[in-house]
Amino acid sequence: MKKLSVAILGFGTVGQGVRDVLCNHQDRLKEIAGIPVEISTILIKHPEKHHTKAPHVRFTTDFQSVLDDPAIDVVFEAIVGKEPAYSYLRQCIIAGKHVITANKEMFQAHGQELKQLAAEYDVGIGFDATTAGGIPIIQTIQHLLQVNKINRVQAILNGTSNYILTDMRENGSTFDDALLKAQSLGYAESDPTNDIEGYDALYKLKILCELIFDEQPVWEHVKCVGISQISAKAIKQEAASGNRIKHIAEIALTEGAITANIAPKSVSAEHPLYAIEGVNNAIHMKTDIIGDLTLSGPGAGAFPTASAMVEDFCHIVNKHMKAEGKVTTIAYS
Amino acid sequence: MKKLSVAILGFGTVGQGVRDVLCNHQDRLKEIAGIPVEISTILIKHPEKHHTKAPHVRFTTDFQSVLDDPAIDVVFEAIVGKEPAYSYLRQCIIAGKHVITANKEMFQAHGQELKQLAAEYDVGIGFDATTAGGIPIIQTIQHLLQVNKINRVQAILNGTSNYILTDMRENGSTFDDALLKAQSLGYAESDPTNDIEGYDALYKLKILCELIFDEQPVWEHVKCVGISQISAKAIKQEAASGNRIKHIAEIALTEGAITANIAPKSVSAEHPLYAIEGVNNAIHMKTDIIGDLTLSGPGAGAFPTASAMVEDFCHIVNKHMKAEGKVTTIAYS
């Protein structure tokens, strides 16, 4: 095997970000893999939209041709929504391909099954980009869990909501004005429901919950409250007392039971999430040995998300492909 | 090979913490390694101090017997000061043993050489516990650097200094009173020079600099300023303007040159290190793709440090020992 071939499924902002990061890091990736890493195929939906011609890259609308190509070792999935992403990844895993996804909506629903399937077929599965964008939260948690138990997580997982709340407080904007601003800046979708009603945070919280506790609470009993009902007046009142309203997603293990909560909360300056502003995300964890840890950074964006996916790729190369003897050994210490 | 044998060099608070974490995680470690992990030998200096008898654990004052024992695969080093720690680790690496250290003073001086030696002899070297205690900063940076360039780091790396500055601001204490309190709580040594004059932060900054930039600035030209000259009045004045004085260690790559700075600085509420209080540490990084990332948590303590060392151990088991075929494959995904 003279090169490592990858495919990208979906070529929206995240898929294009993956393409760019892979192309811009050829030397580094070759150093890590020991052989060149090449984008072999990109699966697109609307061929008429993509006029970019890239030498050596095949653009196709035919998923079967990706699946049937034995030269493709790793598949990056950057499709929106559960289907066809889930079916595609399932088939890729069964075909022995390593997979990396940024698709939180799909992964919160099918993540556990895909992880089990990947273990069964002995392929790598990367999903760090599903939660908190560029913050390497999944790999950090996997790393910590080797020694620590995590008892509670409080997190800001939706950058759009946090941007809106920050703008309302700093500029005295109404909710509607702040939402319009978020949309004009590209932070919020034209249909912002998932962000402002808390569903996006809920998806990510489910992925964290599965990873940390290996089980889920009865989600039907968990009220998911977004930020759409927050008034400028409430924000102003809290600010006058030195507090900030933050949209906080929380899971905890208390007396053997998992509890979850997703709602806006007023936090004081002493709270670890108080200082997280704008489109940033943050995860605050209580662990049994280390104590409290907080990670914060950009929660979304094509490049942070693509970076997280390519970091997953490096991890899979190191952990799975080297063991398979498919790639040579490594410079990275 | 039916079990994985480890030795601990040094049996002060950190060494004892490593013993406790290894003993309390037998099941988890067995799951990761595929075989039982056993403490074979503990190197002590003063046998009269250690009356604990543990079955199957040999206490010895004779390093040569650790070195000569081919059954010992991994060595945890928790000695204070450069020597004999450096000589011991050097010999262990040459003997083909994987090594894990928490010794920042030794590692800032000899880390580069030991890393090269470990690469040459194809053994793992873990040093996450040398910097920022329980915060998994070294592995996170190694992970990020696969894809990102880090252009600047600003960090609070000395928990004692941060505790003293926090106490002075919150309680109006003088520097001397706050130092006494830190000493009585076990945060500061009886000789607090390394903490309060900035040398401890300097050690850790050198380790980060080597890791991130793979080179060092001319340290003789970098003024290392601690917190011992800060008056209660200065703290009070800054607090009145809403600012806090923090002891900040900084490295940056500007126009191809590495600059470094270690000094107390006044930061406003918008600064990512403003909210880091008490004995906590934090590292704020500017990266080229992801953007700004911050990690914060406990910077010291026997258990956070031991936890970081055992996480390094898990990483070495996964990365090095499985490749050698010494341990069976893995449950951890």
Side-chain angles (χ1 to χ4, degrees), chain B residues 4-5 9 12 17 49 61 106 135-136 140 162 174 196 279 316 318:
Chain B
L4 201 160
S5 286
L9 311 183
K49 274 197 200 164
T61 56
M106 181 279 293
I135 309 173
T140 303
N162 204 51
T174 62
I196 63 173
V279 289
I316 286 174
N318 278 323

Side-chain angles (χ1 to χ4, degrees), chain A residues 98-100 124-126 312-321:
Chain A
H98 306 280
V99 297
I100 296 155
I125 181 163
D312 270 346
F313 171 76
C314 295
H315 184 69
I316 286 173
V317 167
N318 278 323
K319 192 176 147 205
H320 289 267
M321 304 191 75

Side-chain angles (χ1 to χ4, degrees), chain B residues 201-309:
Chain B
L202 174 66
Y203 293 160
K204 294 164 179 170
L205 194 64
K206 282 184 180 176
I207 293 170
L208 290 179
C209 196
E210 185 68 44
L211 179 68
I212 293 171
F213 299 128
D214 204 14
E215 77 179 270
Q216 300 279 1
V218 183
W219 285 106
E220 290 70 26
H221 298 174
V222 177
K223 208 170 150 193
C224 175
V225 185
I227 61 161
S228 61
Q229 300 306 315
I230 294 178
S231 66
K233 194 179 155 197
I235 301 247
K236 205 174 165 185
Q237 275 175 346
E238 290 302 324
S241 337
N243 296 333
R244 292 178 181 172
I245 296 180
K246 295 286 172 193
H247 187 254
I248 297 181
E250 182 174 339
I251 41 173
L253 184 66
T254 320
E255 294 170 8
I258 299 170
T259 55
N261 199 299
I262 303 177
K265 290 209 177 113
S266 174
V267 297
S268 73
E270 305 314 311
H271 194 281
L273 302 178
Y274 175 87
I276 310 306
E277 294 275 74
V279 289
N280 283 320
N281 279 195
I283 297 97
H284 175 72
M285 297 174 274
K286 284 204 173 298
T287 76
D288 63 340
I289 303 181
I290 291 183
D292 288 13
L293 269 184
T294 307
L295 277 77
S296 62
F303 283 109
T305 305
S307 173
M309 293 180 84

Side-chain angles (χ1 to χ4, degrees), chain B residues 177-192:
Chain B
D177 286 346
L179 172 59
L180 277 174
K181 210 186 284 184
Q183 284 171 322
S184 74
L185 289 166
Y187 300 147
E189 305 285 332
S190 52
D191 176 359

